Every structure is written in C-alpha cells, then in structure tokens.
Amino acid sequence: MGGFDAGRLDRIAGWMQSYVDQRRLAGCAALIVQGGQEVCYHQAYHRDVESRRPWERDTVARIYSMTKPVTSLALMTLVEEGLFHLDAPVSDFIPAFSDMTCLVPGATAADQVEPCAPPTLHQLLTHTSGLSYAFNPGVLGGLMGEHKVEFRPNQSGLAPMCDMLAELPLAFQPGSRWEYSVGIDVIGRVIEVVTGQTLEEVFVERIFDPLGMDETRFSVPAAARDRFAACYTPMAEGALPWARSKRAAIPCA
C-alpha cells in the first residue's frame, strides 16, 4: 500500500462508524486512491434513513463548498493560458467593483467607511478580499443578510448578485487579513465574463468531461436521482440530532 500503514487505515472505518453511531452523520463513505490504485474504501449506514437505502459506491452527494476548489481550478486554467494574472483587480472584469470602500477598523455602522482598492483575483481566491458571508458576524455580514446577498441557487444569478455585493462596503482593506467569504462566488462570475460561457459549461468542458465526472453538475442528472443521498441538518437541542434538510445543494458528485 505504498507508504500507508494498514493499521491506521483500519481506524478510518471505526471513526466513520462512530459518527454514525453518535447520529452525527446519517451515512458516509471514504475512498483513498494512490497512484491510480485504490488503497482504502469504507461506507457506513444509509444515504436515506427513512427508506433505509444504504450508502454505496455510486451514491451521488452534495459537495457544497467543495465547489470552491473546482471554481479555483477553472480560474487557474485561464491563468495558465495567459488570459490574465492573479494580481488583476476584479474591477477589470466586473466594473461594479471599480469604486470600493471598506469599513474603518472597529466600525459599528455601514457608513463608517474609507476608500480602498478593489480586491485582486488572488485576494478573492484566498479569502483576504474584504468580502464576507451573511452568516458571519460583523457589519458586512449583517448587511449581506439584510440585502439577501447570499449567492443561493434560487436567487438571480452570479451577475446581478455580484453587482449587489459591489454596492456594499468591504469588511476591511483588501489583503490586510482573512475572512471566509463569497470571494470564490465572485471568481465564478469572472470566469463567465472571460469565457463568455456559464460557469457550469466551463466546469463541464474543462474539468468534468476530461475526468469522466459525468454526474457532477449543478443539478442532479436524471439517471442519478435514485442514487441521490438525502441531506440532513442538525435540529434544536433536545430533538433528534438531525432531520431531513430542505436546502438546495449544488453541485453533486
């Protein structure tokens, strides 16, 4: 097994089963491949608890924020082609970001701002852009929640959402610190602008099709729906540890 300790690999199954037994997960699977050869695989419990359908090798599951590395890879293929560099300001691609402001240190209100440079592509990729998430604490997180700048699949799309985002101040001067953010959602829009394609078209053409990932999409392919794992979410203390979630999810893998 080329560098892997069999005893340590065996621990993975026990760890996964403990999460199921504690009802922290409804079901799960883990696969390790080295040099094109499978080293370890284990699956635990159900992909759908109510129907008791087991988790299997071909189960289709949501990947949520693991879409971020896919988006980052797509951008880097364009960088590799010499179409732009990572120090380019995002305003070169999305003009709405041209005249930016950011909150002053210690700001407690949206009008406590100062001028700042637009974030660069590198800063967007590394969560140092000054952007945030609606669920993050702080003034900007609150503003994003208030204006529903959340980049959800049932919202208006990347272009109008980025324009709405650009109307808000940044949480801090770009490059000055780190905060988990929608920066890579904005990168998705940059990719669309540069290629003239939708983000999914770029993913399929540049990444998924070449890798044979024909069931990784922004919506579940019809042929995979009977293998799609139910999604569960934590409930309030005192209730069941998880319950079926109604939240949409993109893409799946």
Side-chain angles (χ1 to χ4, degrees), residues 239-251:
L240 290 172
W242 38 251
R244 188 182 290 267
S245 173
K246 297 181 181 179
R247 180 180 172 184
I250 56 173

Side-chain angles (χ1 to χ4, degrees), residues 142-205:
L143 287 171
M144 292 176 68
E146 178 184 340
H147 293 278
K148 300 191 182 302
V149 182
E150 297 173 328
F151 291 86
R152 292 183 178 272
N154 60 352
Q155 291 186 302
S156 54
L158 287 175
M161 197 58 56
C162 285
D163 287 347
M164 290 173 61
L165 178 65
E167 294 177 2
L168 304 177
L170 299 175
F172 49 84
Q173 288 280 348
S176 64
R177 62 182 178 88
W178 186 94
E179 183 166 330
Y180 190 51
S181 76
V182 297
I184 300 180
D185 296 81
V186 178
I187 288 291
R189 179 55 188 159
V190 170
I191 292 169
E192 291 186 335
V193 170
V194 172
T195 63
Q197 298 175 283
T198 67
L199 188 58
E200 184 170 24
E201 287 171 344
V202 174
F203 283 177
V204 171
E205 178 182 304

Side-chain angles (χ1 to χ4, degrees), residues 70 74 197-214 216-218:
V70 179
Q197 298 175 283
T198 67
L199 188 58
E200 184 170 24
E201 287 171 344
V202 174
F203 283 177
V204 171
E205 178 182 304
R206 290 175 174 261
I207 302 170
F208 299 153
D209 276 359
L211 293 175
M213 300 170 64
D214 56 3
T216 305
R217 298 292 187 270
F218 277 92

Side-chain angles (χ1 to χ4, degrees), residues 31-198:
L31 171 67
I32 300 175
V33 174
Q34 182 184 47
Q37 299 296 314
E38 182 175 312
V39 174
C40 176
Y41 175 78
H42 183 71
Q43 63 193 45
Y45 210 52
H46 298 119
R47 70 175 184 265
D48 188 303
V49 174
E50 289 79 9
S51 68
R52 301 191 67 79
R53 287 179 292 175
W55 200 287
E56 297 176 317
R57 283 179 177 267
D58 62 352
T59 294
V60 175
R62 298 160 174 85
I63 64 173
Y64 289 115
S65 280
M66 286 308 295
T67 312
K68 288 180 170 66
V70 179
T71 307
S72 301
L73 173 59
L75 184 83
M76 293 308 296
T77 66
L78 302 175
V79 172
E80 187 175 50
E81 292 172 10
L83 299 180
F84 48 81
H85 55 82
L86 292 179
D87 290 329
V90 66
S91 53
D92 284 359
F93 311 91
I94 307 174
F97 283 97
S98 295
D99 298 313
M100 297 301 298
T101 61
C102 67
L103 297 167
V104 300
T108 57
D111 60 352
Q112 298 172 356
V113 297
E114 60 186 4
C116 67
T120 66
L121 301 184
H122 180 267
Q123 290 163 343
L124 291 168
L125 285 170
T126 57
H127 298 288
T128 58
S129 63
L131 296 175
S132 189
Y133 265 113
F135 54 72
N136 282 344
V139 175
L140 179 56
L143 287 171
M144 292 176 68
E146 178 184 340
H147 293 278
K148 300 191 182 302
V149 182
E150 297 173 328
F151 291 86
R152 292 183 178 272
N154 60 352
Q155 291 186 302
S156 54
L158 287 175
M161 197 58 56
C162 285
D163 287 347
M164 290 173 61
L165 178 65
E167 294 177 2
L168 304 177
L170 299 175
F172 49 84
Q173 288 280 348
S176 64
R177 62 182 178 88
W178 186 94
E179 183 166 330
Y180 190 51
S181 76
V182 297
I184 300 180
D185 296 81
V186 178
I187 288 291
R189 179 55 188 159
V190 170
I191 292 169
E192 291 186 335
V193 170
V194 172
T195 63
Q197 298 175 283
T198 67

